[in-house]
Amino acid sequence: MEEPLVGRMREFGTTVFATMTKLAVDTGSINLGQGFPDTDGPARMLERAVEAIKGGLNQYPPGPGVPELRQAVSDHRKDWYGLSYDPGTEVLVTVGATEAIAAAVLAVCEAGDEVIVFEPFYDSYGAAVALAGAVRRPVTLRVDAGRFTFDPAELAAAVGPRTRAVLVNSPHNPTGTVFTRAELEEIAAVCREHDLIAITDEVYEHLTFDDVEHVPLATLPGMRERTIMISSAGKSFSVTGWKTGWICAPPSLTRAVQTVKQFLTFTSSAPWQLAVAFALREEMEWVAAQRAALQAKRDRLMAGLRTAGFEVLRPAGTYFVQTDIRPLGFDDGLEFAMRLPELAGVVAIPTQVFYDRRERGRHFVRFAFCKKDEVIDEAVTRLQRLG
Ligand SMILES: *Cc1c(COP(=O)(O)O)cnc(C)c1O
C-alpha cells in the first residue's frame, strides 16, 4: 500500500520522546528525556478520584466539564491572577492541554492562515497547525545574558496579512524561560495592533523558581478579550497521565473551541475532574512544596552537569534544563543524544528537534530534572565519564 498518511502530517513521524524512551529501555539508560515526574501527586487528590469512580461518576459528564471543576477553575483564576471568568460560558474542560491547543487552533484558523510560534516549540504545536491546514511562522528564541529570549523586531516581522494567531508558551518548554512582563508587553502590542488571537499554553504556571513570577498574557491591557488561556492539572499536580486540562476565554472563543472539542472527544473523563476541582481548592500548598522541591532538583542537576563539562543555562521554570555541548567537544546535539546511552548510560533530548530551523538549536541538549534525587545523582555520576 502506498503511504496512507495525509501529506500534511508526514513530517511528524514518530515523536522524539518515543524514540528516546525506547532507546533508554533498550540500553538500560537513565531517562532524563521525557518530562514526567517519577513520584505521585497529592494523596488526598488521588483518593478523590478513587471516590469519584466508586461513587458512580462514570458516565458522560456535561460537554463543557463538571460544574464543580469549572467553578474551581474560575475561582483559581480570580485568586491567582485577578481574572474573572464565568464558569458557565468562559471555562471549558479538555482532555489535557494537548486537546485544548489542537481544538483552539482548529477552531480559529482557516486553511492558509498563519500562526506565529516561538521556536524551539512544544512538538504538538506544529502538528496542530498542520491539521488545521494553517502555516506556522517561527520566531526564534536565542540565548542572551544566559536565558532564551526573542527579538521584538523579528516578532513584528513575522506578522503578515494571513496571520491569525500567536501561540505563546510561558513558562516555556523546552528552554525554561519565563517571559518577563516586558516581553509579554511586546507580544500583546503585536496582538492588539494586528487584531490577533493569543493562544497561551500555561501548563507550567505554578512551576517557576527563584521567586520569578508567572504573568498570564490575558492580564495585560486589551488581552483578555482575545486570549484563549490554556492550563492543565498534569504538571501542576504531577498527574501527567490524567490528561485533564481547561481553557478560559471570552464566550465567543470558548464556544468556538467547544464546537471543535465536542467532535474530537465530546467530553473529558469524569472522575479526574472532581479530583482536580478538589486539588485547585485544597492542594495549592502541596504545589508550593513541589515547586520548592523542583527548584532544589534543578540546582542539583545543574551542578552535576557543570562538573561533567556542559555549559548549563539556568531555567526560571518548567521541568527542564538546557545545556550547550560544545565545551565537551561535540557540536551536534542529535548525534550526541543518540550516542549518550553508549557513552554514559543516560538519555536526553536533542533540542534541535523543536526548531523549524534546526541548525539554530544544533548544539543544545535538554535534560529533565523532575526525577527522584537518587535518579538525578546516578545520572550525574554516569555523566562524569564524558570528561
Ligand atoms: C506537558 C505539556 C503539554 C501537555 O499537557 P497535557 O495536559 O498532558 O495534554 C502542553 N504543553 C507543554 C508546553 C507541555 O510541556
Side-chain angles (χ1 to χ4, degrees), residues 65-125:
V66 302
E68 291 88 339
L69 179 53
R70 283 183 281 142
Q71 185 66 54
V73 165
S74 173
D75 292 346
H76 175 272
R77 305 283 100 168
K78 183 94 193 147
D79 291 348
W80 284 81
Y81 308 122
L83 288 166
S84 292
Y85 287 100
D86 176 355
T89 58
E90 300 188 308
V91 180
L92 171 68
V93 178
T94 58
V95 182
T98 308
E99 187 198 29
I101 293 159
V105 171
L106 287 164
V108 303
C109 291
E110 299 284 3
D113 281 353
E114 296 179 2
V115 179
I116 294 176
V117 292
F118 293 90
E119 70 174 353
F121 53 82
Y122 187 64
D123 63 343
S124 87
Y125 299 178

Side-chain angles (χ1 to χ4, degrees), residues 74-375:
S74 173
D75 292 346
H76 175 272
R77 305 283 100 168
K78 183 94 193 147
D79 291 348
W80 284 81
Y81 308 122
L83 288 166
S84 292
Y85 287 100
D86 176 355
T89 58
E90 300 188 308
V91 180
L92 171 68
V93 178
T94 58
V95 182
T98 308
E99 187 198 29
I101 293 159
V105 171
L106 287 164
V108 303
C109 291
E110 299 284 3
D113 281 353
E114 296 179 2
V115 179
I116 294 176
V117 292
F118 293 90
E119 70 174 353
F121 53 82
Y122 187 64
D123 63 343
S124 87
Y125 299 178
V129 171
L131 281 171
V135 178
R136 58 183 184 269
R137 283 278 167 251
V139 172
T140 306
L141 298 175
R142 292 193 173 80
V143 176
D144 181 28
R147 65 189 279 280
F148 286 79
T149 184
F150 62 91
D151 176 355
E154 227 183 284
L155 172 61
V159 182
R162 293 297 309 261
T163 308
R164 175 68 167 154
V166 187
L167 245 165
V168 181
N169 173 214
S170 180
H172 184 263
N173 173 11
T175 67
T177 280
V178 179
F179 283 146
T180 62
R181 195 172 284 277
E183 286 165 337
L184 293 166
E185 291 285 3
E186 298 282 358
I187 297 169
V190 167
C191 290
R192 288 188 303 255
E193 183 183 340
H194 300 280
D195 196 21
L196 307 181
I197 293 168
I199 301 170
T200 63
D201 175 349
E202 305 181 35
V203 299
Y204 296 101
E205 64 190 315
H206 294 299
L207 305 184
T208 62
F209 313 126
D210 311 320
D211 296 320
V212 167
E213 185 196 10
H214 166 64
V215 179
L217 189 62
T219 61
L220 271 55
M223 291 308 293
R224 184 195 181 283
E225 67 226 52
R226 61 177 70 253
T227 299
I228 301 172
M229 183 184 193
I230 295 171
S231 201
S232 166
K235 307 289 161 57
S236 292
F237 300 111
S238 293
V239 283
T240 60
W242 281 17
K243 300 300 294 185
T244 299
W246 52 87
I247 72 154
C248 294
S252 61
L253 284 171
T254 302
R255 228 178 297 120
V257 178
Q258 197 191 343
T259 302
V260 173
K261 185 246 158 38
Q262 66 189 336
F263 299 114
L264 292 177
T265 53
F266 179 56
T267 185
S268 309
S269 301
W272 323 124
Q273 294 191 41
L274 275 192
V276 172
F278 167 82
L280 284 172
R281 296 194 188 288
E282 305 290 343
E283 296 291 2
M284 294 313 291
E285 273 173 38
W286 183 93
V287 175
Q290 176 72 357
R291 156 187 168 138
L294 271 172
Q295 180 171 322
K297 289 177 190 299
R298 174 200 66 171
D299 294 345
R300 196 177 193 102
L301 181 60
M302 280 176 61
L305 290 168
R306 279 204 183 105
T307 56
F310 292 86
E311 186 187 327
V312 181
L313 291 143
R314 182 190 196 82
T318 77
Y319 286 162
F320 308 107
V321 58
Q322 284 292 338
T323 61
D324 188 329
I325 57 171
R326 286 174 294 187
L328 286 162
F330 294 88
D331 75 345
D332 182 351
L334 182 57
E335 187 198 313
F336 178 82
M338 295 308 291
R339 286 189 58 199
L340 197 55
E342 150 219 334
L343 293 172
V346 173
V347 158
I349 299 290
T351 310
Q352 60 186 267
V353 302
F354 302 107
Y355 289 76
D356 274 340
R357 288 141 320 178
R358 288 194 167 199
E359 69 287 354
R360 296 187 180 183
R362 183 176 162 88
H363 47 269
F364 296 117
V365 171
R366 189 193 83 172
F367 291 86
F369 53 80
C370 49
K371 307 291 174 187
K372 292 189 183 109
D373 287 348
E374 56 266 34
V375 173

